[in-house]
């Protein structure tokens, strides 16, 4: 009996199973490295920041802000307060200081809809700088986050949920019918399924965060369209990775979307508060592109969304093309003489 049990254990611990377990441990450690590395010590760095001041003081004010230790701001002179407000609404800058020479109280313009933590950090930094000069700043929120959207995080959580739905659906298709579709017809069927899931998931998410919970005041139709694109982009990318690498593709999707994408998305801390690596990769990954677009829809009248939509579209198109090409090549290999084929 003991020999039988030992032989069963040995047969279960195959080289493939061992490699998969090692891969899981690696993903676990990468998860810790990515999240802690990105979020353990947020700092302002080169935040796009406007300065409105009299001609005699504007250059000196910009220089003083530019020379702050650690380079927290990337200041630029603007002609007037209206221009500063417009640039914040267009998401060209994250805040602006309007100097009032007739008194000791200036105005700090922020947009908490783009991330409340960034607005709070700018308020604190500006208060310290002005306090050293015996001045104060009155805070004006140009694009305020909803009172039902704590810290402006609802957009991020919406996108995280949509991404989870995308790669989980693709993973379920792989587990139930084989990681690699045997032919282009089956691949197209999986992509078609992802379209239906994307439409349903996007609509459900938009209704929940809008009419049901009242967390996000943006257009339900626009959030539906964005949500459907996010789900399909992530799902198609996961199908593509599975088509290339089999079940390992699920792990690669988790690496890209969850481990690298979520902490760099600008959710908990907007991009200017993240370390350089995460700030750089965030806009190119679905969670980051989706979070930026969702906040634009919700609080900025849809401004500055083009690049994010192009990123999501690129993931979707690449996912479709690679999934179909992998299926075509797989079918060709299976029909070649003396070809053993690949197990799904």
């Amino acid at each position: 009996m003991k020999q039988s049990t030992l032989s069963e254990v040995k047969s279960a611990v195959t080289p493939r199973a061992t490699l998969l377990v090692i891969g899981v441990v690696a993903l676990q450690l990468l998860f810790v490295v990515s999240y802690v590395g990105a979020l353990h010590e947020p700092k302002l760095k080169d935040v796009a920041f406007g300065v409105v001041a009299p001609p005699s003081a504007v250059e000196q004010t910009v220089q003083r802000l530019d020379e702050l230790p650690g380079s927290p701001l990337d200041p630029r002179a603007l002609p007037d307060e209206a221009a500063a407000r417009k640039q914040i609404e267009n998401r060209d800058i994250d805040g602006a200081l309007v100097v009032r020479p007739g008194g000791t109280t200036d105005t700090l313009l922020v947009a908490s809809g783009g991330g409340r933590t960034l607005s709070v950090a700018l308020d604190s930094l500006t208060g310290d700088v002005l306090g050293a000069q015996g001045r104060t700043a009155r805070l004006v929120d140009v694009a305020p986050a909803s009172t039902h959207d704590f810290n402006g995080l609802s957009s991020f959580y919406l996108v995280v949920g949509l991404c989870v739905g995308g790669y989980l659906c693709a993973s379920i298709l792989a587990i139930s019918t084989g990681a690699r579709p045997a032919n282009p017809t089956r691949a197209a069927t999986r992509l078609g399924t992802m379209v239906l899931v994307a439409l349903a998931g996007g609509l459900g998410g938009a209704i929940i965060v809008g009419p049901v919970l009242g967390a996000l005041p943006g257009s339900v139709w626009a959030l539906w369209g964005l949500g459907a694109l996010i789900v399909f982009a992530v799902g198609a990318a996961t199908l593509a990775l599975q088509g290339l690498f089999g079940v390992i593709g699920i792990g690669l999707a988790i690496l890209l979307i969850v481990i690298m994408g979520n902490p760099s998305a600008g959710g908990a801390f907007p991009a200017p508060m993240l370390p350089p690596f995460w700030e750089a990769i965030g806009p190119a990954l679905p969670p980051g592109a989706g979070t930026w677009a969702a906040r634009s829809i919700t609080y900025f009248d849809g401004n500055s969304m083009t690049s994010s939509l192009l990123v999501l579209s690129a993931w979707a198109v690449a996912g479709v093309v690679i999934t179909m090409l992998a299926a075509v090549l797989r079918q060709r290999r299976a029909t070649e003489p003396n070809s053993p084929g690949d197990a799904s």
Side-chain angles (χ1 to χ4, degrees):
M1 180 68 72
K2 290 183 178 180
Q3 290 181 346
S4 175
T5 302
L6 288 173
S7 63
E8 289 177 0
V9 171
K10 289 179 179 179
S11 63
V13 185
T14 63
R16 184 170 184 269
T18 302
L19 289 175
L20 288 175
V21 170
I22 293 173
V24 169
V25 173
L27 286 177
Q28 169 187 301
L29 297 178
L30 286 171
F31 186 100
V32 175
V33 169
S34 185
Y35 278 70
V36 176
L39 307 176
H40 77 289
E41 193 177 9
K43 294 179 180 179
L44 295 176
K45 181 67 176 178
D46 293 329
V47 178
F49 193 76
V51 176
V52 178
S56 58
V58 65
E59 184 175 344
Q60 180 182 2
T61 303
V62 169
Q63 182 177 357
R64 184 166 61 249
L65 294 177
D66 191 40
E67 293 175 351
L68 289 174
S71 187
L73 302 177
D74 177 18
R76 70 284 310 270
L78 298 175
D80 51 42
E81 182 175 346
R85 286 175 174 268
K86 187 66 175 177
Q87 288 205 19
I88 292 174
E89 291 169 355
N90 289 338
R91 309 197 75 178
D92 296 324
I93 60 175
D94 296 300
L97 177 65
V98 181
V99 178
R100 310 289 185 186
T104 59
T105 302
D106 300 324
T107 300
L108 175 64
L109 304 177
V110 296
S112 62
R116 194 184 301 275
T117 52
L118 178 57
S119 299
V120 171
L122 287 174
D123 187 24
S124 177
L125 175 66
T126 305
D128 292 341
V129 172
L130 294 178
Q133 306 168 22
R135 303 181 66 83
T136 59
R138 180 176 66 94
L139 187 68
V140 176
D141 203 337
V142 176
S146 166
T147 55
H148 302 291
D149 180 14
F150 178 73
N151 274 357
L153 289 173
S154 296
S155 298
F156 171 61
Y157 292 141
L158 169 65
V159 172
V160 168
L162 296 170
C163 288
V164 168
Y167 70 74
L168 278 185
C169 180
S171 301
I172 289 171
L173 291 172
I175 293 171
S176 61
T177 59
R180 296 185 177 103
N183 54 61
T185 300
R186 293 185 181 181
T189 300
R190 294 188 186 189
L191 290 168
T193 301
M194 282 307 314
V195 170
L196 297 178
V197 170
L199 291 173
L203 178 59
I207 291 175
I208 289 171
V209 299
V212 174
L213 298 178
L216 298 180
S219 165
V220 171
W221 299 106
L223 288 174
W224 178 17
L226 174 65
L229 178 58
I230 292 171
V231 174
F232 184 76
V234 172
T238 305
L239 289 176
L241 290 170
Q242 291 170 178
L244 293 174
F245 304 105
V247 70
I248 296 174
I250 298 175
L252 294 175
I254 293 173
L255 173 64
L256 288 171
I257 305 302
V258 179
I259 294 177
M260 297 177 66
N262 286 352
S264 65
F269 300 112
M273 301 183 73
L274 297 175
F277 174 75
W278 285 270
E279 181 183 8
I281 67 173
L285 297 173
T291 299
W292 179 275
R295 283 175 170 165
S296 289
I297 290 172
T298 303
Y299 298 117
F300 297 92
D301 295 325
N303 293 327
S304 190
M305 284 179 54
T306 303
S307 60
S308 296
L309 294 179
L310 288 175
V311 167
L312 292 169
S313 298
W315 279 86
V317 172
V320 171
V321 171
I322 294 173
T323 298
M324 295 303 298
L325 285 176
V328 169
L329 294 174
R330 179 174 169 79
Q331 184 180 47
R332 287 181 180 176
R333 285 198 302 268
T335 57
E336 287 177 356
N338 302 321
S339 173
D342 296 318
S344 295

